[in-house]
Amino acid sequence: MTPHIEASKEDIAPLVIMPGDPNRCKYIAEKYLTDIKLVNKIRGELAFTGYYKNKRITIFSSGMGIPSMGIYSHELFTEYNVNTIIRIGSAGSYTKDLNIRDLFLATSSYSDSNYAKDYSGSVEKQVYSSNVLDTIIRNTAKEMNIKLEEGTCNSTESFYNQALDLNKLVNEYNCKCVEMETFSLFLNARVLEKQASCILTISDSFITNEKLNSEDREKSFNEMIELALESIIKL
């Protein structure tokens, strides 16, 4: 046990898919896994371990924000012998090329957060995903006939960002969308020599002002979920 996870080590699989929302975590486990077991419910962050096509995996909710993802991914990597985490989540599009429900592979994350400095003493503002894992996801997307955009996401600490400089983020840092968790996951994985990738579904657009409602965010991301599941079982 850790202060945030009540599961025993054997309850957590080495392969983990991490949505942010506990309700989405429950939805994935009940819809896609067999022989599921609830292995964590501390602070309402749900985790289920079961089997997808005979491969044992854990679905674990990260909660919202860089700090929450940082806590859970660190403890999973260091205390539970987790080797691989694929984050799945929603994102807001910064460009006209990313539309509602498009799938996006985040190959890097840019953030103004101090997380890197606090966690590892680094001053870097951009961190990268795992190349090997990304290649598996790309190839799986082709096999499934899924269109997959890719590039840099902006990991922000403020959902209601009143000082957003969209032009700078797009043109200077090449950010194509925004979310709130990927930066700490990628940094933890690199520092701890683990594997991490992130697949996002575009749920909002800063260009068209379209957005999905809360029920759609929870239950209409099946294409992203299935891509993550089919990818992770190849490890």
Side-chain angles (χ1 to χ4, degrees), residues 8-234:
S8 59
K9 282 190 176 182
E10 60 269 21
D11 283 338
I12 304 290
L15 305 174
V16 174
I17 291 176
M18 292 195 83
D21 184 356
N23 288 329
R24 191 178 302 150
C25 182
K26 184 174 185 289
Y27 170 78
I28 295 168
E30 292 179 347
K31 181 175 177 64
Y32 292 101
L33 302 190
T34 59
D35 299 324
I36 61 172
K37 178 183 178 181
L38 176 65
V39 297
N40 190 75
K41 58 182 184 295
I42 291 180
R43 295 174 177 257
E45 298 299 349
L46 303 181
F48 298 86
T49 295
Y51 290 85
Y52 180 74
K53 294 186 176 180
N54 298 317
K55 193 84 167 188
R56 188 169 180 263
I57 64 171
T58 295
I59 315 295
F60 204 120
S61 59
S62 69
M64 288 190 291
I66 288 171
S68 187
M69 172 61 86
I71 289 170
Y72 286 105
S73 60
H74 174 87
E75 293 181 0
L76 289 170
F77 283 144
T78 61
E79 302 298 328
Y80 287 90
N81 300 319
V82 169
N83 298 317
T84 302
I85 295 176
I86 297 179
R87 160 166 158 66
I88 55 172
S90 57
S93 171
Y94 281 164
T95 76
K96 63 181 181 181
D97 299 323
L98 280 178
N99 300 308
I100 298 297
R101 290 191 172 88
D102 279 355
L103 263 61
F104 184 82
L105 177 65
T107 55
S108 69
S109 172
Y110 168 82
S111 183
D112 281 327
S113 167
N114 285 322
Y115 183 85
K117 181 180 178 182
D118 294 339
Y119 184 75
S120 65
S122 170
V123 296
E124 65 197 301
K125 295 295 184 180
Q126 187 169 3
V127 290
Y128 296 85
S129 56
S130 302
N131 287 330
V132 171
L133 189 52
D134 281 354
T135 298
I136 291 172
I137 293 170
R138 290 188 193 100
N139 291 339
T140 304
K142 289 179 182 178
E143 293 169 6
M144 298 175 69
N145 214 14
I146 292 174
K147 181 184 176 183
L148 189 63
E149 304 292 341
E150 62 179 77
T152 301
C153 68
N154 173 31
S155 293
T156 182
E157 289 189 322
S158 173
F159 186 86
Y160 299 104
N161 194 336
Q162 303 301 307
L164 178 70
D165 190 340
L166 188 59
N167 185 63
K168 182 177 181 180
L169 288 166
V170 171
N171 295 312
E172 188 171 337
Y173 300 112
N174 201 31
C175 294
K176 295 184 178 181
C177 61
V178 60
E179 51 81 70
M180 300 188 70
E181 288 83 36
T182 303
F183 186 86
S184 54
L185 172 62
F186 286 0
L187 185 77
N188 287 4
R190 196 207 61 215
V191 170
L192 299 171
E193 299 182 343
K194 304 287 187 172
Q195 292 191 104
S197 287
C198 172
I199 308 169
L200 301 167
T201 297
I202 301 303
S203 60
D204 306 81
S205 173
F206 283 77
I207 305 302
T208 65
N209 293 320
E210 294 176 273
K211 58 183 64 181
L212 298 178
N213 61 37
S214 57
E215 184 176 356
D216 284 336
R217 288 170 189 261
E218 180 183 333
K219 295 182 178 178
S220 71
F221 293 167
N222 289 348
E223 190 173 55
M224 170 180 66
I225 294 165
E226 291 163 12
L227 175 57
L229 288 167
E230 290 292 331
S231 298
I232 207 165
I233 63 173
K234 294 179 178 178

